[in-house]
Amino acid sequence: MRDDGKAGAIRRTDARAGTACTSISTAATAHPPLTPAGLPPSIAGLRRLLRQGDLTVEQALARQRAALRQDAWHCVVEVAEAAPAVVLDVPLAATPDAAPAVMPDPSRAVVPAASMPLAGVGLAHKDIFVFGTHVPACGVGEPPAGWVPTGESTVLARLAAAGSLPLAWLGMAPYACGATAENEGGSVMRNPLDSAAAVGGSSSGSAVAVAAGLCYGALGTDTAGSVRMPAATCGLIGMKTTAGLLPDEGVVPLAPSLDTVGVLARCSADALDILAATLTRDQARILHERHAAACHSPLRLAACFVHANADFLLTPDVAAALDTFAAEMAAVPRAGINGQRELQRLADIVLHAEAATTHGTALRGALPLPRAVRHLALAGAALPPAWYADARQQRAAHREAFLRDALGEADLLLVPALPAGVPDARAVTTTSPDFQPRQLLAMFSWMPFVNYLGLPAVVLPIARDDRGRPICVQAIARPHMEGTLLAFASRVEQQRPDAFSSLTSFKQNNETCLN
Amino acid sequence: MELFVDPVSSAPQSSPCSQVIDACAVAWTLDRQGIRATEAECHSVAKFLRRVAPPGATDVRTRESPFLANPGERP
């Protein structure tokens, strides 16, 4: 074994890239970069290393855990304890459909066998999942008052069955309520791309940890953009899944009919691997089939960059980047999304009403709630039930109309992610003297209606602005077309590699995530 | 304003509530659920409700609104 246990001391030969990495200290030079753990930046690269025998799974995990402990971005809430050398060898054929039957006791740390699909792949997650004895702190220290978990997270159990136990729990906006990383009770999280730039929320720690290279991927939850916004601010792939695709068991809710578990990763291949491991075997097969099909046939794209609310105009740099991108992709322009304001209104009603239910115990008991959460829940409690019932009742018809009118013949609809790009943190922090409410509102102007419609969407970087911050696009698809979305992301990666790779050092490596 | 602390018990019969979705209506609705809110919070919630109200529902007398579902109970 050639790993002496010191960060950056590993020596490997990357056969595919035809290059050799000697240490993390050389990452800033001509050598391909490594993560802060001194490991390849992609899951594929890590697998090669493990296969070659230069590193064991246990060593890989130990190095990633050590990197998470040295978190300089204030994104880590808690690092899971080091695993004892107990090898768990779960037959691949038994996962993930049979995950509950083959799951180890998650409170017992294990080292997965190298044959498992995610063995050695360090994942850390938004601190909103129940797993083993872990009770999620939800950004405030404890789950909502009155919330009783029905069991541990099925999604995390599936990842564990694929060989990836959580390495750490990551910071988030209080109770998943916030478009940024702002958290009165937590440390100020820093964007690894630019310390003055905002970090989107509410899965902010997930985005920061992945962008900083502290883990290969992270799960978050997306109720009104909470995976896509943080991903967009950190130049990552942010996948919001189809409503109901991933089980919500063991996930603290905000608004259950809008909540979806999502994946943040540095590249589409990593996102595909992680997402596949969270699915049942049949779902994973369909994901891969649709991904393969979309990789080998032209995608029909439509694009709509005009919001029905004139307050959410694109800034010139974002407009130019999106227009150029749409032209290159031969996307058919759409004048607008019919009923976009109505969709936004209905999404607002559902979000507030369901958040009121989630936090009803705290509201009635006059228990303290973070300001933004209380505001959301109070408004929901005052909503006429008939409005909520009406919003739920209209949902299917609106989805049908959107698929017919906005998507039409297209496979994907391209819309903006952040219409004004990545704002300064001070402009979207409510306690800052430089706070500009419109900039905060703009961040999620293109997000909640997707949750209301229950559709899958992915954000991905397509360019960088003159400050080096990512400019992202959002692609929306029909239900259960996550494979198509990730195939599209893969194409963009190949065409625009400079837009990807959230770590500055990773930018030097063309093979970063394209393998 | 005491009205917002305990609107049901302290609001006078000649309530200052207008016939639109306002802070008073919010306070009353929340109070009915055992939820206390400050005046500022009620104003903020009322503003939100007006924004998301279905067409024709900004008047509390409309059938869609529960505020006058039992008009006799309204402060």
Side-chain angles (χ1 to χ4, degrees):
Chain A
M1 214 50 55
R2 281 167 279 178
D3 181 18
D4 66 1
K6 296 174 184 172
I10 190 166
R11 177 179 293 277
R12 68 175 170 90
T13 300
D14 187 322
R16 182 162 178 163
T19 56
C21 298
T22 53
S23 78
I24 193 168
S25 63
T26 62
T29 67
H31 296 283
L34 301 172
T35 70
L39 297 172
S42 69
I43 292 176
L46 175 68
R47 282 189 183 134
R48 281 197 297 274
L49 203 59
L50 293 168
R51 214 165 37 236
Q52 290 161 8
D54 287 344
L55 191 73
T56 66
V57 168
E58 188 175 10
Q59 287 167 340
L61 293 174
R63 293 165 71 93
Q64 292 170 84
R65 207 173 264 114
L68 283 159
R69 284 199 190 93
Q70 293 173 13
D71 162 36
W73 317 102
H74 308 296
C75 62
V76 176
V77 173
E78 178 190 348
V79 178
E81 288 306 306
V86 177
V87 174
L88 170 70
D89 195 358
V90 179
L92 293 182
T95 63
D97 284 337
V102 299
M103 263 299 296
D105 175 4
S107 63
R108 195 184 106 202
V110 293
V111 176
S115 59
M116 298 169 78
L118 290 181
V121 176
L123 302 179
H125 308 296
K126 186 177 188 176
D127 194 8
I128 200 167
F129 297 92
V130 176
F131 189 71
T133 58
H134 177 74
V135 178
C138 303
V140 294
E142 58 188 358
W147 179 73
V148 179
T150 54
E152 75 171 4
S153 163
T154 303
V155 173
L156 290 196
R158 288 174 178 172
L159 287 175
S164 183
L165 290 163
L167 287 191
W169 304 104
L170 302 170
M172 56 185 281
Y175 292 132
C177 181
T180 70
E182 185 173 355
N183 187 330
E184 298 159 24
S187 303
V188 177
M189 226 178 280
R190 291 198 298 136
N191 190 323
L193 302 185
D194 177 345
S195 58
V199 175
S202 65
S203 307
S204 32
S206 299
V208 170
V210 176
L214 299 178
C215 54
Y216 284 95
L219 296 187
T221 55
D222 191 318
T223 305
S226 283
V227 161
R228 290 163 288 157
M229 287 185 289
T233 55
C234 293
L236 300 171
I237 299 276
M239 166 64 77
K240 177 220 169 288
T241 53
T242 304
L245 177 67
L246 296 178
D248 58 5
E249 185 178 25
V251 187
V252 176
L254 174 58
S257 81
L258 302 175
D259 294 342
T260 50
V261 174
V263 177
L264 296 99
R266 285 188 290 273
C267 62
S268 63
D270 288 359
L272 183 68
D273 280 350
I274 296 166
L275 178 60
T278 65
L279 300 172
T280 65
R281 196 187 315 162
D282 281 347
Q283 288 172 333
R285 177 181 50 76
I286 292 169
L287 173 76
H288 286 299
E289 284 174 359
R290 289 181 174 160
H291 181 266
C295 282
H296 296 103
S297 60
L299 287 175
R300 295 164 300 181
L301 304 176
C304 174
F305 302 143
V306 180
H307 200 288
N309 184 338
D311 286 344
F312 302 131
L313 289 175
L314 304 179
T315 53
D317 55 349
V318 173
L322 287 174
D323 286 343
T324 302
F325 179 71
E328 276 181 20
M329 294 284 168
V332 177
R334 299 269 193 266
I337 295 175
N338 288 339
Q340 188 175 17
R341 279 176 177 271
E342 177 68 354
L343 293 175
Q344 201 77 21
R345 184 183 76 81
L346 296 170
D348 264 349
I349 288 174
V350 175
L351 169 65
H352 286 72
E354 295 186 1
T357 301
T358 300
H359 294 286
T361 300
L363 286 180
R364 287 187 297 274
L367 303 175
L369 278 174
R371 194 163 31 113
V373 183
R374 180 170 166 82
H375 178 78
L376 188 75
L378 266 184
L383 267 169
W387 299 4
Y388 172 67
D390 188 48
R392 291 293 304 269
Q393 191 269 330
Q394 291 185 47
R395 209 165 175 176
H398 278 297
R399 179 166 51 240
E400 193 176 322
F402 179 87
L403 296 177
R404 182 188 63 233
D405 301 334
L407 260 168
E409 295 299 312
D411 298 301
L412 306 177
L413 176 69
L414 307 181
V415 301
L418 304 175
V422 182
D424 287 338
R426 59 189 171 82
V428 291
T429 301
T430 60
T431 52
S432 162
D434 300 318
F435 175 52
Q436 297 177 38
R438 279 186 186 280
Q439 286 205 34
L440 184 61
L441 288 172
M443 286 185 73
F444 53 85
S445 56
W446 285 89
M447 300 290 165
F449 77 93
V450 184
N451 299 74
Y452 177 71
L453 296 173
L455 301 175
V458 68
V459 299
L460 61 150
I462 57 167
R464 290 182 182 263
D465 66 16
D466 56 8
R467 293 182 293 185
R469 297 179 186 177
I471 294 175
C472 292
V473 72
Q474 177 177 196
I476 304 170
R478 290 180 175 77
H480 302 290
M481 300 306 283
E482 282 82 0
T484 305
L485 288 167
L486 290 175
F488 169 69
S490 175
R491 286 187 191 189
V492 179
E493 282 171 338
Q494 291 170 36
Q495 292 179 14
R496 299 182 168 218
D498 289 344
F500 275 78
S501 175
S502 56
L503 285 176
T504 304
S505 56
F506 286 6
K507 283 199 299 185
Q508 301 168 21
N509 185 5
N510 287 334
E511 68 101 29
T512 296
C513 280
L514 303 178
N515 45 23
Chain B
M1 275 176 78
E2 282 301 309
L3 178 63
F4 295 95
V5 176
D6 189 353
V8 173
S9 62
S10 63
Q13 286 303 309
S14 55
S15 165
C17 294
S18 66
Q19 295 298 328
V20 296
I21 298 170
D22 60 8
C24 177
V26 168
W28 182 81
T29 304
L30 294 175
D31 186 81
R32 298 283 293 175
Q33 301 172 64
I35 300 169
R36 301 295 182 90
T38 66
E39 180 176 354
E41 285 176 330
C42 291
H43 278 291
S44 176
V45 169
K47 187 176 174 185
F48 165 79
L49 292 179
R50 287 193 292 271
R51 183 168 64 77
V52 301
T58 53
D59 188 319
V60 293
R61 292 169 299 184
T62 59
R63 282 192 306 160
E64 290 85 346
S65 169
F67 300 141
L68 282 189
N70 298 295
E73 295 182 15
R74 186 173 165 77

